[in-house]
Amino acid sequence: MDFKELPPVKEQVMKCVRCGKCRSVCPVFAEIRNETVAPRGHVFMVQMVRDGKVKPDQAVYDHLGNCLLCETCSVNCPSGIDIHELNAAARSYIYEKNPSPVKDLIFDTMWTKPALLKSAIRMMWGAQKTGAQKIARALGLTRMLPGDLPKAEQILTNIPSRSAKSRLAEVNPARGEKKYRVGYFLGCGTDLLNPNVALATVDVLTRNGCEVVIPRDMKCCGLPHIANGKMDTAQELAKENIRLFNSYDFDYIVTDCASCSSALGAKNLEFLLAGEGLDEEIEKFSEKVIDLTVFLVDVLDVRPPANDQALKIRVTYHDPCHLANAQNIKNQPRELLRRIPGIDLLEMKDANRCCGGSGTYALTHYDLSMQILDRKMDCIEATGADYIATCCPSCMMQLNHGVNRRHLGAKVVHPVELLSHSYANR
Ligand code: SF4
Ligand code: SF4
């Protein structure tokens, strides 16, 4: 659908009453107190672009690109404006007029073909393993990378040697009586950067009566593409994933990644595929999509057995924006943690505040992302927790970097890893 016809662009901009509520909650505005990075300023900017009063050039893209797409503004806007959708739609419209061959190579070629993405990650693993990354850093070669990547390459440390998909079967039978047939949407971040989360997910689901199928041909959920102005590619990826998962007879489509479940949910797919005539296919697909912690608590009602030998650990929980803001899921991850023997759950201040990771944001806006991370790490450090639990691979990567920067001893985990561990350690 044409940019100007998209519902948020056509109908919602007019609803802004300039109250400033969005500004008061925006984590980026808290760091750069300038209207050009404020959500209210973005709404105005998109209106000007739509009406042809401002040229859709790179400078406007860069202003809009400062936004994390964390959705904090959208959930707080009294006029109900989907500010993050406005922003994403405008980025895509502007990008079409100011394309970049490097971005096209990354998002159209590499990030649409899982085998290529896996090869790139393997090359990075090889560079870390052989010390080539350190040598390149010492020689200043990493400074030749584009944009903020010279600084951001420090975030990608400890890359695993093998992906989750290479360690898991396509069909994983239920242990004991089969209750559900579950399609596991194994996103790129979990597959390539956090394979232990995937192993724990399959372990816990099969223990609790689920046959877990991991369709080999699944594609990226498309959220990195939306954030980088590549909405056309995100649309193609969404269509392929919908077609693939709808060809199976799944009871549920489960994902452990907050970004994936929000990208695959009805709200985002209706925005992304507006006017494509796919309403029935979207409904059939998205009504089955469910976040892992919601599935474990609300559907399976998992109750890990009591264990007198369980280690006593202090855990704090960080709300990923794509879970708490985009899907209003805050209780189930905490409830799951409370049910695990030995865990003392400590609430951090501002648990629902963005960590600054936001997919590729830390890679493209390193310094700003670190300022936002520092506020989060202050809240985490004050709890004195041994573990930082969260449900998003991007947050996990960012928080790990925060732990390393501060030389803390805390470990960053997904709640399902602690759950799987509690079963194994009985
Ligand atoms: S909160 Fe909504 S109505 Fe208020 S200034 Fe922001 S966009 Fe406009
Ligand atoms: S989505 Fe988040 S970062 Fe972007 S304008 Fe809204 S509150 Fe600010």
Side-chain angles (χ1 to χ4, degrees), residues 313-342:
I313 53 172
R314 291 165 303 165
V315 180
T316 190
Y317 178 72
H318 159 70
D319 285 294
C321 301
H322 286 129
L323 216 54
N325 293 335
Q327 303 178 75
N328 196 22
I329 298 171
K330 298 174 193 164
N331 293 336
Q332 290 89 344
R334 290 175 169 81
E335 175 59 21
L336 189 63
L337 288 166
R338 279 190 211 102
R339 289 184 188 184
I340 300 172

Side-chain angles (χ1 to χ4, degrees), residues 22 25-28 37-39 42 66-74 83-84 87:
C22 53
V25 294
C26 173
V28 175
V37 299
H42 290 167
N66 280 317
C67 162
L68 294 148
L69 300 179
C70 71
E71 306 191 26
T72 314
C73 51
S74 302
I83 306 167
H84 65 287
N87 187 315

Side-chain angles (χ1 to χ4, degrees), residues 12-13 15-23 25 35 39-41 43-44 73-74 76-83 86:
Q12 293 186 359
V13 280
K15 292 188 190 160
C16 178
V17 293
R18 306 274 183 259
C19 66
K21 176 73 183 155
C22 53
R23 236 174 60 147
V25 294
E35 191 68 17
R40 185 174 67 178
V43 173
F44 189 57
C73 51
S74 302
N76 282 284
C77 171
S79 301
I81 302 175
D82 292 312
I83 306 167
L86 271 179

Side-chain angles (χ1 to χ4, degrees), residues 120-173:
I121 296 289
R122 269 204 74 76
M123 276 170 59
M124 279 153 70
W125 174 79
Q128 286 183 353
K129 194 80 186 154
T130 58
Q133 193 186 34
K134 273 191 191 146
I135 295 168
R137 227 179 255 166
L139 292 174
L141 295 179
T142 55
R143 286 200 292 275
M144 290 161 69
L145 294 167
D148 270 358
L149 282 177
K151 295 174 192 162
E153 54 92 31
Q154 308 160 51
I155 300 175
L156 289 164
T157 52
N158 297 326
I159 293 170
S161 60
R162 290 180 63 195
S163 69
K165 280 198 196 118
S166 70
R167 295 163 72 177
L168 287 163
E170 185 168 359
V171 179
N172 302 270

Side-chain angles (χ1 to χ4, degrees), residues 109-123 163 165 188 191-192 216-220:
T109 306
M110 209 174 78
W111 218 316
T112 55
K113 297 181 180 63
L116 273 182
L117 192 59
K118 191 172 154 188
S119 302
I121 296 289
R122 269 204 74 76
M123 276 170 59
S163 69
K165 280 198 196 118
C188 320
D191 183 30
L192 301 172
R216 287 309 194 223
D217 291 334
M218 76 177 80
K219 297 284 168 67
C220 172

